[in-house]
Amino acid sequence: MTGRPAIAVLNGPNLNLLGRREPALYGTATLTDIENLCRRTATELGYDIDFRQTNHEGTLVDHIHEARDLARGIVINAAAYTHTSVAVRDALATVTAPVIEVHLTNVHTREPFRHVSYIAAVATGVLAGFGPAGYEYAVRHIAALDNPAAPHTRIEELHDAHHN
Ligand code: DQA
């Protein structure tokens, strides 16, 4: 423990095989590469990362419960449970901190069963199709929401720039 605030990054089933799993779809980055990317980004922003992966639905629920008490926000790639799990959705619905749903691939260009997300309706935002960078963007967004005074682009600023 470093005393820095934490952002939880939670991963669901089969993501432990990233890099070897259907690389044409999911790319060659491993989950450890993604963890390192998240840690590097978080460190730059003054946060710790609590990075987890599980292949089990109930364990993913447990990870959400732990993050709910400890983290300033949750980045979650629930993988296949995105499309099936009321339990994961109900766990996320109890979280008051921001929740960003992430998918490496653009699920909307894939099979119809992947177009349905049980968790999108309880998420703050959804990133799909950005590859590993989606995790980085999600970590940055949680830090920005946690630091409303920190410099980052706001819609109001864009609006002002346009009208000045
Ligand atoms: C995934 C997309 C899901 O449909 C799939 O079941 C996964 C990975 C993605 O990151 O693109 O396992 O969440």
Side-chain angles (χ1 to χ4, degrees):
M1 289 301 282
T2 61
R4 286 190 299 232
I7 295 171
V9 182
L10 307 183
N11 295 279
N14 301 305
L15 293 170
N16 53 312
L17 296 179
L18 275 181
R20 288 174 290 156
R21 171 195 186 196
E22 301 181 84
L25 254 182
Y26 291 111
T28 52
T30 65
L31 197 61
T32 304
D33 293 331
I34 291 176
E35 177 173 357
N36 290 338
L37 173 64
C38 290
R39 284 195 193 288
R40 200 161 64 229
T41 307
T43 302
E44 176 199 317
L45 299 167
Y47 288 81
D48 276 340
I49 287 287
D50 184 356
F51 195 94
R52 314 259 187 117
Q53 189 274 332
T54 177
N55 292 324
H56 305 279
E57 185 175 12
T59 306
L60 187 56
V61 170
D62 290 341
H63 289 171
I64 294 165
H65 290 179
E66 286 174 47
R68 167 181 194 278
D69 295 329
L70 296 172
R72 301 295 250 270
I74 299 178
V75 178
I76 182 164
N77 185 349
Y81 290 137
T82 306
H83 317 299
T84 63
S85 179
V86 177
V88 169
R89 177 208 176 105
D90 286 354
L92 290 171
T94 74
V95 176
T96 50
V99 172
I100 312 291
E101 175 183 346
V102 171
H103 301 284
L104 293 156
T105 60
N106 180 353
V107 282
H108 301 288
T109 63
R110 300 182 61 192
E111 302 94 325
F113 66 84
R114 296 186 204 276
H115 301 180
V116 176
S117 168
Y118 278 53
I119 65 182
V122 294
T124 309
V126 181
L127 284 159
F130 295 84
Y135 284 75
E136 176 185 340
Y137 302 152
V139 166
R140 288 191 184 282
H141 191 64
I142 286 173
L145 291 174
D146 195 38
N147 295 283
H152 66 276
T153 307
R154 296 174 190 291
I155 295 297
E156 306 86 69
E157 287 163 8
L158 296 174
H159 187 261
D160 290 348
H162 183 70
H163 289 277
N164 285 335

